[in-house]
Amino acid sequence: MKKMDYTKLLMIPGPTMVPSTVLTSMANPIIGHRTGDYGDLLVDTTEKMKKVFQTENDTYLLTGSGTAAMDMAISNTVDKGDKVLNIVNGNFGDRFYKISKIYAGAGDNVIKLENEWGDCAEPEAVKEILEQNPDIKVVTVVHNETSTGVKNPIEEIGNVVKDYNALYIVDTVSSLGGDYVNVDKFNIDICVTGSQKCIAAPPGMAAICISNKAWEVINKTETKSFYLDAKTYKDKYDNKVQTPFTPSVTLTYAMNEALDIVLEEGLENRYKRHEKLAKATIAGFKAMGLELFATERSRSVTVTSVKYPENISDKDFRGIMSDKFGISLAGGQAHLAGKIFRMGHMGICKEYHLLGTLGAIEIALNKLGFKAEGGVNAAKEELKK
């Protein structure tokens, strides 16, 4: 096996850097997942998760990626023939569409509200479709679309959906713990997230919260996933304080510690820090003469997407960043491959991580023939504000 370089600075949109206390927590002894000790750990971690979601709704931890929680949200609420509205302006919004097609069927009952990749969804467009299709059962949206560096106005969309019979399902995988999310205030019926983004825990754990309105639908839905049956999770948690299947004990330790760190910093402080880092990143790229991909009104506070200057190769640029500087950046996805790069600034990202990365980007671009300068200074000035 090739020797791995474990020293890379992760400036990608996840997985993110993980605090040492979170990593060391996973060295705790394994305990039985059907014991009272694990039950105590599960309850404590779940209650902390609810605080970060800002919800009173039922909340469950899943051993699986954020996509497992997306699958759970759809498989428990959608039967064949049901009408679903998927708001899509990136790769992960499109993932909700693909999952919906599996459970609702391949007909025109699954509606894709396609937006320009790089811009946010319009609440008025959502309202128009709901007016025309009052039998829509589920509406899905991704809050923070990491594939494009765009965030959608989930509070405003929630205010639209609440006036209809549809359930409102939101993916906050790359925003929860970094950008403002208030599940109950935003009228979200099912909210999903993952461990490895703003929460800054290792990959492999997801979480989902479910409203009373959603339970009414779940209890009437015939289609179910075996592993991701929400009613099974509820039954096990309510009656035995357990998960229905073997959970990752080590990842539960990690999530518990990571959520402690989030709550100790404070959600408001965390939102402000992410916003400050985003503004500094944008100022730095603009000073270098680079063009941002996402529109100004829709820019994420956890990841920034940048268009490549002409004649700059994605492979060469990110190769230099990785091999010379030990910094990982992400490329574009789907039709944006080779056209943009993406820089994450979420989780435990600090100012020095940001400034060091911007400095390395300047050097890499200059090495490849694009004159870039002033980015670090511009970011510093923004950070002073």
Side-chain angles (χ1 to χ4, degrees), residues 85 87 113 121-134 136 139 141 153-170 185-189 213:
L85 171 60
I87 301 167
L113 175 55
E122 294 280 3
E124 282 301 316
V126 177
K127 183 175 183 178
E128 185 177 333
I129 292 177
L130 288 170
E131 284 289 331
Q132 295 169 354
N133 300 270
I136 285 176
V139 177
V141 67
I154 58 170
E155 181 175 9
E156 292 81 356
I157 295 172
N159 285 332
V160 169
V161 178
K162 71 180 175 62
D163 292 331
Y164 298 85
N165 290 325
L167 291 182
Y168 186 37
I169 298 178
V170 181
K185 182 180 178 182
F186 293 178
N187 303 294
I188 300 171
D189 293 301
K213 179 181 174 182

Side-chain angles (χ1 to χ4, degrees), residues 254-265:
M255 279 290 278
N256 191 282
E257 176 65 21
L259 290 169
D260 268 342
I261 293 171
V262 171
L263 294 170
E264 284 169 11
E265 182 177 358

Side-chain angles (χ1 to χ4, degrees), residues 86 91 93-103:
N86 301 121
N91 197 43
D94 194 56
R95 182 168 297 179
F96 255 143
Y97 174 73
K98 290 173 180 174
I99 296 170
S100 299
K101 281 284 192 182
I102 290 171
Y103 294 103

Side-chain angles (χ1 to χ4, degrees), residues 10-17 92 146 173-174 195-198 200-201 203 302-303 328-330 333 342-347:
L10 294 180
M11 298 299 287
I12 54 178
T16 61
M17 296 172 282
F92 296 99
T146 51
V173 170
S174 61
S195 57
Q196 78 280 17
K197 308 274 186 175
C198 301
T302 65
V303 55
S328 293
L329 297 174
Q333 296 183 338
R342 296 171 296 139
M343 177 174 160
H345 31 79
M346 66 178 84

Side-chain angles (χ1 to χ4, degrees), residues 187-328:
N187 303 294
I188 300 171
D189 293 301
I190 299 180
C191 192
V192 304
T193 198
S195 57
Q196 78 280 17
K197 308 274 186 175
C198 301
I199 293 172
M205 186 157 274
I208 186 169
C209 59
I210 303 172
S211 73
N212 290 333
K213 179 181 174 182
W215 278 120
E216 290 176 8
V217 173
I218 290 168
N219 289 331
K220 297 174 183 176
T221 302
E222 296 179 4
T223 303
K224 290 290 184 295
S225 160
F226 180 79
Y227 183 68
L228 298 171
D229 184 349
K231 289 199 287 188
T232 304
Y233 276 79
K234 181 174 177 59
D235 178 66
K236 278 288 186 180
Y237 190 85
D238 288 353
N239 295 309
K240 294 189 175 182
V241 197
Q242 295 178 4
T243 57
F245 310 105
T246 306
S248 172
V249 175
T250 51
L251 285 176
T252 313
Y253 287 141
M255 279 290 278
N256 191 282
E257 176 65 21
L259 290 169
D260 268 342
I261 293 171
V262 171
L263 294 170
E264 284 169 11
E265 182 177 358
L267 292 177
E268 288 298 327
N269 291 333
R270 208 164 174 95
Y271 303 151
K272 289 176 183 176
R273 175 169 61 82
H274 279 79
E275 185 177 7
K276 189 175 184 179
L277 291 175
K279 287 180 177 179
T281 303
I282 289 167
F285 285 137
K286 283 184 174 180
M288 289 183 215
L290 296 172
E291 184 180 355
L292 300 177
F293 179 71
T295 61
E296 185 173 356
R297 68 172 185 165
S298 66
R299 286 173 191 153
S300 164
V301 300
T302 65
V303 55
T304 298
S305 55
V306 183
K307 293 181 181 180
Y308 276 115
E310 192 174 350
N311 298 323
I312 299 294
S313 158
D314 174 74
K315 181 180 178 181
D316 292 343
F317 170 69
R318 290 197 296 125
I320 292 172
M321 291 296 295
S322 178
D323 298 339
K324 183 175 176 63
F325 298 110
I327 300 173
S328 293

